[in-house]
Amino acid sequence: MKTKILLGQPSWPLGSDCVKLAVTQLGGFLGPVEFSVGRKTISPYSIPPWAGKPDAPAGALGALRGDVFCVPFGGNQRPYRGERHPPHGDPFHAKWRFVSHRQNGATRQLTLDTRLRTRAGHVRKEVILRDGETVVYQRHTISGLLGRMSFGYHATLDFSRFGSGRISTSRILFGKTQAADFERAAQGGYCSLRPDTIFRRLDRVPRRDGTFADLTTYPTEGGYENLVLLANDPRSELAWTAATFARDGWVWFSLKLARELTCTLLWLSNGGRHYAPWNGRHRARLGLEEVTSLPEGLAEAAALNDFSRRGISVCREFRKSDHCLVRSATGICPVPRDFDRVKSIRLKAEKIHLVAYSGATAVTTFDPDFFETPDVERIRDK
């Protein structure tokens, strides 16, 4: 299957009657993504201002868009046992290899793979669409690794086109703000939240100035970059994150298994980076990123930390024979005008049921087998 140039990047297209998307060859970035809901087309994912333009940076930042799978997830500035992983890991920077494009009835599937280079290993990517469903299913299988490793998805939405949205998650145990050195004013990066601070409620997160931020509504104040890592309750098998745009009549949701992806990272990117290529123009973007990692990277995730001390694993110990399956389902659901903010999400039969704090409800179709535990096909390391 040949690639097509989309926003400056060779990409493989995949489409159903409800969703059209592309996956870049460089980095395996998922985007753009268009959902068809009635007569409306919704494109919720972030496309950076430089995408496809002459000032686009070289490499992975030039391809940055939508969603991407990272191994190891995070900044990775500190080496881990002599390994110097690049930011967000080798797959984020690699050229992915086409494996197959298959259609089986109402199901379309694109399969790609890539090798890890900093440490021997292999990642297989499967992106799946089904006719009649406004859902993007992703499966990533990590194999051939030995030792500790973190990983995660890096979905980012663009709120600049839809105005204010309401954010909610399944039950969390606690959250923590970014490290003190996440952004440095001397380099043109600014944060508003108090660094290295544990909190319990998303609507009461401490700021540097002594006030509190309500992160259940986004965008927050402009001119800042902030990170917030949330520990999902491991007793909830199905964990979720949602952004509600009631004025426009839809909700974006992300579903996962808490045992596969233990945390949710919120990247509040609202014009706080004044260095290239960001140049203060990356505004009203929100990363809703499902991870088993810390944002700092593998070295910090593998060490004793505030999450592991509280029983939340932020990396996994691999054996050479392991085939680790990591799944994500993201999509769009139409909602009524009185649907204020998601309170709960349940899977029942072939449906996703969303309930709002206002009591309003919404339902959309979902593959009931996606989160079942299959026999993972053994993948031969290339």
Side-chain angles (χ1 to χ4, degrees):
M1 182 181 184
K2 293 183 178 180
T3 59
K4 298 180 179 179
I5 303 298
L6 292 174
L7 296 172
Q9 293 295 322
S11 306
W12 291 285
L14 184 68
S16 69
D17 62 349
C18 294
V19 184
K20 288 181 170 48
L21 59 80
V23 181
T24 63
Q25 183 182 55
L26 176 61
F29 293 90
L30 185 77
V33 183
E34 295 182 347
F35 296 93
S36 297
V37 179
R39 297 181 179 180
K40 183 182 295 186
T41 298
I42 301 169
S43 300
Y45 287 94
S46 173
I47 304 297
W50 56 79
K53 296 181 179 178
D55 68 339
L61 271 183
L64 181 68
R65 61 197 65 187
D67 195 1
V68 65
F69 188 68
C70 307
V71 185
F73 185 97
N76 294 307
Q77 292 184 3
R78 288 179 53 195
Y80 174 69
R81 296 188 173 181
E83 297 174 349
R84 290 193 172 272
H85 295 275
H88 288 312
D90 292 326
F92 189 89
H93 302 268
K95 282 192 173 182
W96 286 72
R97 184 180 72 90
F98 175 79
V99 176
S100 65
H101 178 283
R102 294 184 295 175
Q103 179 172 350
N104 182 12
T107 302
R108 278 89 163 165
Q109 178 173 318
L110 175 66
T111 303
L112 311 173
D113 67 11
T114 190
R115 292 174 56 190
L116 303 180
R117 300 188 179 280
T118 305
R119 186 194 308 174
H122 182 276
V123 181
R124 174 159 292 193
K125 177 192 298 285
E126 297 167 290
V127 183
I128 303 159
L129 303 177
R130 286 160 46 102
D131 284 343
E133 298 180 2
T134 50
V135 182
V136 178
Y137 303 95
Q138 293 188 75
R139 291 194 297 240
H140 286 80
T141 305
I142 307 169
S143 61
L145 272 177
L146 180 62
R148 308 199 85 183
M149 183 57 72
S150 64
F151 45 83
Y153 290 89
H154 194 295
T156 307
L157 305 189
D158 182 356
F159 282 59
S160 68
R161 290 173 298 185
F162 309 110
S164 180
R166 302 298 309 279
I167 310 305
S168 50
T169 71
S170 53
R171 186 172 184 271
I172 64 169
L173 300 184
F174 64 94
K176 186 182 179 184
T177 59
Q178 72 272 341
D181 61 352
F182 171 57
E183 295 289 348
R184 298 183 179 92
Q187 297 177 346
Y190 302 91
C191 299
S192 60
L193 299 181
R194 185 192 304 164
D196 292 316
T197 301
I198 299 290
F199 61 89
R200 302 290 174 181
R201 290 169 45 182
L202 197 57
D203 63 353
R204 191 174 169 82
V205 181
R207 291 192 179 100
R208 290 178 182 270
D209 64 5
T211 63
F212 293 89
D214 180 358
L215 302 188
T216 64
T217 300
Y218 191 78
T220 51
E221 62 268 31
Y224 297 100
E225 302 285 318
N226 291 293
L227 292 179
V228 166
L229 186 64
L230 308 174
N232 300 129
D233 187 345
R235 293 171 295 180
S236 302
E237 182 179 9
L238 181 72
W240 54 266
T241 307
T244 304
F245 300 90
R247 186 186 67 184
D248 289 337
W250 55 276
V251 165
W252 178 90
F253 58 82
S254 171
L255 306 179
K256 65 178 183 180
L257 297 181
R259 67 175 182 269
E260 292 179 1
L261 296 158
T262 61
C263 298
T264 299
L265 180 68
L266 304 186
W267 171 35
L268 299 93
S269 183
N270 199 12
R273 290 174 172 169
H274 294 270
Y275 49 87
W278 313 90
N279 298 332
R281 56 185 169 157
H282 196 259
R283 292 179 172 271
R285 266 65 169 195
L286 178 63
L288 297 157
E289 307 171 23
E290 308 298 353
V291 304
T292 296
S293 186
L294 296 182
E296 293 82 9
L298 177 59
E300 291 81 359
L304 189 64
N305 56 70
D306 287 323
F307 286 76
S308 60
R309 287 188 188 97
R310 291 166 170 81
I312 302 299
S313 175
V314 286
C315 68
R316 171 178 167 154
E317 186 76 32
F318 282 82
R319 298 171 298 176
K320 278 284 188 181
S321 59
D322 285 347
H323 290 73
C324 175
L325 180 63
V326 188
R327 288 166 284 192
S328 166
T330 58
I332 294 292
C333 180
V335 296
R337 285 279 182 172
D338 59 343
F339 195 106
D340 55 347
R341 179 170 165 251
V342 176
K343 181 179 181 181
S344 67
I345 297 181
R346 299 275 191 276
L347 298 183
K348 297 179 182 178
E350 297 185 5
K351 302 289 184 181
I352 301 174
H353 294 254
L354 300 93
V355 178
Y357 281 90
S358 66
T361 62
V363 179
T364 192
T365 307
F366 186 81
D367 178 5
D369 298 325
F370 181 68
F371 285 122
E372 295 299 314
T373 304
D375 294 329
V376 180
E377 177 187 0
R378 296 188 65 83
I379 299 173
R380 179 172 58 87
D381 293 336
K382 304 294 183 182

